[in-house]
Amino acid sequence: MPGVGIWRTKSVEQSIADTDEPDTRLRRELTAKDLTVFGVAVVIGAGIFTLTARTAGDVAGPAISLAFILAAVACGLAALCYAEFASTVPVAGSAYTFSYATFGECVAWIIGWDLILEFALAAAVVSKGWSLYLGNVLGFSGSTTAHIGPVDFDWGSLILIGGITLVLAIGTKVSSRVSAVITAIKIAVVLLVIAVGAFYINKANYSPYIPPAEGSESGASGLHQSLFSFLTGAEGSTYGWYGLLAAASLVFFAFIGFDVVATTAEETKNPQKALPRGILGSLAIVTVLYVAVTLVLTGMVKYTDLRSGSPLVGDSSATLATAFEAHGITWAQTAINLGGLAGLTTVVMVMLLGQTRVLFAMSRDGLLPRGLAKTGKKGTPVRITLMVGGVVSVLAAFFPMGTLEEMVNIGTLFAFVLVCIGVVVLRRTRPDLPRGFRVPLVPLFPILAVLACGWLMLNLSVETWIRFLVWMALGVAIYLSYGRRNSVLGRRLAAEPDLHEEENVPELVRR
């Protein structure tokens, strides 16, 4: 039944059983504390040092703190769904593995292909930002890019990716320890910024908390405008309630990364309890830090001083250091550069970790060459780690990322939507499964999460949607030509005549 083959599902029991294969077994050594560190490590990055000030000045004003809370609520709804899935199916692969158990093999491949885009591109983009901070620390004018004839070579990004790849190949526990040390440094910088900045807060700067709306001067049109504007003809605005919602869409991406924690499910001790604690705990910590930073920032200077083109900002964009420079605290720039270096190092590390675990799961299932899933003596997928490190190194060292950053966002939100829907589907099709964590008020919370993520996706540009659909079409072509033919589940079904394929088709598809 070729039409049914692409909808075959891999049972939760089979997914868990596959984790015991000797040649593709990951070592369980991570705790809830390790997972929380990973979550904070990947979420607290450049956003807290740059995105906060720019969005406050150009979009939301003092209400930027409320925008972070709204974004945290949307992200928290998705986090609840990830926590339930991860505790129910504690297997490497995150949304890919979850989709395989609920929607079938074809959708699982699509989401896995989508996660490849998210993690690999995010690691490359963030490493380019890391090279900018390194250039500032070393006194260069800009990043660590060397011009070799017509080619631009970013040696800083190459060093970062190479070093992190080596650490990940050594072992996940070592990665966790390195991440914990670096995360402690950047959190110390953030807390220092909050503590010092609090002494310079002027309450008058918080008024008006939600500034009156102004017409947008972005002038985005054609493929550069958001899909929402393209479909409705609506124009954006700066400040006001619309500006607040637009700011929530922007700062939501400062939370991206907590889902990476779910990719380490197979390497976690007592995953049913540790995974929900790691996912929700890390989200709670970063939300408090984000809101505290924004309150200090908008209390230190008037929001209009952070606006692009203002005398304080000039032709560049406002950063966290802008508010401190306004008060003559020039040493803050050095502290923020160091914090940015530390912050982006851990972001790249956890993104690469997530990328390798998704590819590991897809390879073990036969949708990619099985040989890639072979683990080394220390229980890590060395082959995949080295391959991913090599590809991301080339992307980061030689290719400008530019507007491709938005593709990371749409890929992440697409994964969020499928996971949230999957929770409802699995509750209906497999109510008997033991769940270490249960999302409250199902289906209300998952539906709200889908609506929130859908709204954010509508605010991405039309050209981003086009690129995303092209990438997905390429993925479908690869699945039909290779993955479907080499699927371990497909071969298992063919070898066991008593196991009818209809029994492995999702209930929603049969109907």
Side-chain angles (χ1 to χ4, degrees), residues 28 31 45 65 93 108 166 169 179 184 191 202 225 229 233 286 290 298 304 307 332 339 360 409 419 477:
R28 293 189 182 276
T31 64
S65 54
L166 180 61
S179 182
L191 292 176
N202 181 357
Q225 64 182 319
S229 297
V286 299
Y290 276 141
T298 53
T304 51
R307 193 166 186 172
F360 169 81
N409 302 333
V419 168

Side-chain angles (χ1 to χ4, degrees), residues 231-383:
L231 294 175
T232 64
E235 295 184 1
S237 67
T238 300
Y239 309 135
W241 287 102
Y242 189 93
L244 172 62
L245 295 176
S249 299
L250 291 173
V251 302
F252 175 88
F253 304 121
F255 290 96
I256 284 179
F258 77 87
D259 55 311
V260 180
V261 174
T263 67
T264 63
E266 201 171 318
E267 298 160 270
T268 303
K269 300 175 183 177
N270 194 10
Q272 285 74 18
K273 292 183 178 180
L275 281 163
R277 291 174 182 173
I279 292 172
L280 299 175
S282 59
L283 183 61
I285 291 172
V286 299
T287 299
V288 171
L289 291 176
Y290 276 141
V291 173
V293 167
T294 54
L295 288 173
V296 168
L297 174 70
T298 53
M300 290 180 68
V301 294
K302 194 70 174 176
Y303 70 91
T304 51
D305 292 333
L306 297 173
R307 193 166 186 172
S308 298
S310 69
L312 184 61
V313 176
D315 296 330
S316 60
S317 296
T319 67
L320 191 56
T322 304
F324 287 85
E325 291 171 359
H327 290 275
I329 316 173
T330 55
W331 58 264
Q333 182 67 51
T334 302
I336 290 171
N337 283 334
L338 293 175
L341 273 178
L344 297 185
T345 299
T346 53
V347 171
V348 174
M349 178 180 291
V350 182
M351 284 295 181
L352 287 179
L353 175 67
Q355 172 73 97
T356 58
R357 284 356 182 221
V358 171
L359 282 176
F360 169 81
M362 297 174 74
S363 300
R364 185 168 60 189
D365 290 334
L367 303 186
L368 291 172
R370 285 266 295 170
L372 293 175
K374 189 174 180 61
T375 53
K377 295 180 180 179
K378 295 189 176 183
T380 57
V382 178
R383 294 179 181 178

